[in-house]
Amino acid sequence: MAKLLQLPPKFLPPEWHIANKNQYSTAEAQRSRSERLVDESQRLVDEIERTTQKTQSDVNKRIEQRLEEIKFWKQQLDDKLDQIVKETEVLLTFGTRLEKALENYREPLFIIQECLLNRERRVGIDLVHDEVERELIKEAEVLQGVIALLERTLEQTNEQIRLNRSAKYNLEMDLKDKFTALTIDNYCSNLNNNTPDIRYAQNVVTVDDSSVSPQEWEEFSNANVEKADKQRNNSLALRALIDSILSQTAGDMRKQNKTVNVAFQNRVKETKDAKAKLEVHLAKVMEEVNSQEKNITALKKAILDKEGPAKVAATRLETRNHRPNVELCRDVVQYRLIKEVQEINHNIQRLTETLAHAEAELKGLNRRQLSLEEEIQVKANTLYIDEVLCMQMRESISINNF
């Protein structure tokens, strides 16, 4: 019971003074550390505030710079888009010109081929490989070459239009992204510490694996600009080529068309001259046929007219052969009658031979008349084909500028 009621041990006065001094020094040290911490904290707050403001100012400046870069490239893309759109519209009109030229040139080719087919219907000696045929074949070859060239150029034009539209699509997609980026960065540029809808966001300090470097970003837009420039320049060169082709081909076809027309005119004139000469000869032959027919009639009459004298002479000779006895004398009369009969027979033979020759000549004249009539018909057929069918059909050929 005595131990339980024992008081705790007491300290000595020196110990009490030491303990108080320790409390004083510990409190002073703690207070000093706290003061230093307060001062250091204030300096830290001030430093961080300055750093934060500087950093935020730098970020704002960088955002403004970025906005200028985006605006620059957006303007570049806008300009190139406007250029490629206008160039594509112009190239489309050139494609239309090519299509119209192709449509226009197919009709003359059909006419030329029809002319060649019609001229195959010439007959006889007039079925000749003449200058007209050579020039028609050349004209058909020129037109076929022109049509093939225009078809290839139209295909090239359509391909260039496709490439232009591809470049336009890339520009539009890039512009769309630039507009979105510009909108986002404009929004970011307008944010400040007092903006109501600012907030914390999770995982924003990580770099997206799909992001690109500024150099890659610039190269991407630059590639789109260069592609648009390249396609626009190709389009300009193609338009110059189309102009040259349309002008050159039209000039070549007009020149060949004129050459063929002149060849037709010369050939028609030549054929008409030949036909006229044949008709003159036919008239002369028919006149000669008439003359020869009269000659044959006269020869036949002459032969018939000799029958009377021949009969008289023969009757006289036969009758004088009945003279009696010594009266059957070979006198002058007898010899003269014999000579007369011989003369008459000889003359009849000459007339008969001449008649045969005349009849043979008449047959020859008739054959020649028929031949001339056939040849004149051949020339008439040729003139109908060349002058009526071909030349009139060729009047519809029109070589226009496109």
Side-chain angles (χ1 to χ4, degrees), residues 61-72:
K61 181 179 178 180
R62 296 298 176 89
I63 289 176
E64 290 300 323
Q65 290 175 348
R66 184 60 175 171
L67 284 170
E68 291 302 316
E69 291 176 356
I70 295 173
K71 288 176 182 178
F72 169 79

Side-chain angles (χ1 to χ4, degrees), residues 2-269:
K3 291 182 178 178
L4 292 173
L5 297 174
Q6 187 179 357
L7 297 173
K10 293 183 178 180
F11 295 97
L12 296 175
E15 291 176 334
W16 179 83
H17 288 292
I18 291 172
N20 287 334
K21 287 181 180 179
N22 286 338
Q23 288 292 335
Y24 301 154
S25 62
T26 302
E28 183 66 22
Q30 186 70 47
R31 185 185 60 77
S32 296
R33 286 197 300 274
S34 177
E35 286 179 352
R36 288 196 299 272
L37 181 60
V38 169
D39 292 340
E40 184 67 25
S41 296
Q42 187 60 47
R43 285 194 300 271
L44 180 61
V45 167
D46 293 341
E47 180 185 348
I48 290 175
E49 178 65 21
R50 288 192 300 271
T51 302
T52 302
Q53 290 178 357
K54 181 180 178 182
T55 302
Q56 193 175 67
S57 176
D58 184 61
V59 168
N60 290 337
K61 181 179 178 180
R62 296 298 176 89
I63 289 176
E64 290 300 323
Q65 290 175 348
R66 184 60 175 171
L67 284 170
E68 291 302 316
E69 291 176 356
I70 295 173
K71 288 176 182 178
F72 169 79
W73 281 107
K74 182 176 179 297
Q75 185 60 50
Q76 291 289 312
L77 294 168
D78 272 328
D79 292 343
K80 298 306 174 183
L81 178 61
D82 182 63
Q83 291 173 0
I84 199 70
V85 167
K86 289 179 179 177
E87 178 58 32
T88 303
E89 289 174 354
V90 175
L91 190 58
L92 282 167
T93 64
F94 274 67
T96 302
R97 287 171 62 191
L98 286 171
E99 290 172 351
K100 288 181 178 179
L102 276 169
E103 184 180 354
N104 181 261
Y105 294 156
R106 286 193 175 98
E107 180 64 21
L109 180 60
F110 173 77
I111 291 173
I112 293 165
Q113 291 170 339
E114 281 296 303
C115 287
L116 286 168
L117 287 173
N118 285 334
R119 296 191 94 242
E120 289 298 316
R121 290 159 51 194
R122 292 173 297 164
V123 295
I125 193 62
D126 274 26
L127 188 58
V128 60
H129 185 60
D130 54 8
E131 184 69 17
V132 173
E133 187 167 350
R134 287 191 293 272
E135 293 300 334
L136 274 172
I137 291 173
K138 183 178 177 181
E139 188 177 28
E141 290 173 349
V142 168
L143 261 173
Q144 288 168 344
V146 166
I147 289 173
L149 175 61
L150 292 179
E151 287 175 340
R152 291 195 302 271
T153 307
L154 181 58
E155 290 176 2
Q156 187 178 352
T157 302
N158 290 335
E159 175 62 15
Q160 187 59 55
I161 289 170
R162 186 192 69 78
L163 292 173
N164 286 1
R165 286 172 173 167
S166 174
K168 171 178 172 286
Y169 174 80
N170 291 335
L171 290 171
E172 287 174 338
M173 292 299 101
D174 199 353
L175 273 169
K176 180 181 178 183
D177 291 344
K178 290 285 184 294
F179 178 78
T180 302
L182 193 63
T183 303
I184 291 172
D185 281 351
N186 267 322
Y187 171 77
C188 291
S189 175
N190 292 325
L191 288 177
N192 57 57
N193 298 334
N194 298 317
T195 302
D197 58 348
I198 56 176
R199 65 193 179 282
Y200 286 109
Q202 300 294 325
N203 301 321
V204 293
V205 296
T206 58
V207 178
D208 194 329
D209 292 337
S210 63
S211 63
V212 297
S213 67
Q215 182 179 356
E216 291 173 327
W217 173 81
E218 185 172 334
E219 287 174 352
F220 177 80
S221 293
N222 190 53
N224 286 333
V225 167
E226 288 180 349
K227 180 180 179 182
D229 273 336
K230 178 183 177 182
Q231 298 308 329
R232 179 171 171 270
N233 290 334
N234 290 343
S235 184
L236 287 169
L238 180 58
R239 286 201 286 119
L241 177 64
I242 292 171
D243 267 333
S244 175
I245 287 174
L246 289 175
S247 175
Q248 183 65 41
T249 53
D252 290 344
M253 287 188 292
R254 285 194 193 96
K255 180 180 177 181
Q256 186 59 30
N257 179 262
K258 183 178 179 181
T259 300
V260 173
N261 289 341
V262 170
F264 260 116
Q265 291 167 4
N266 292 339
R267 187 59 177 168
V268 166
K269 182 179 181 301

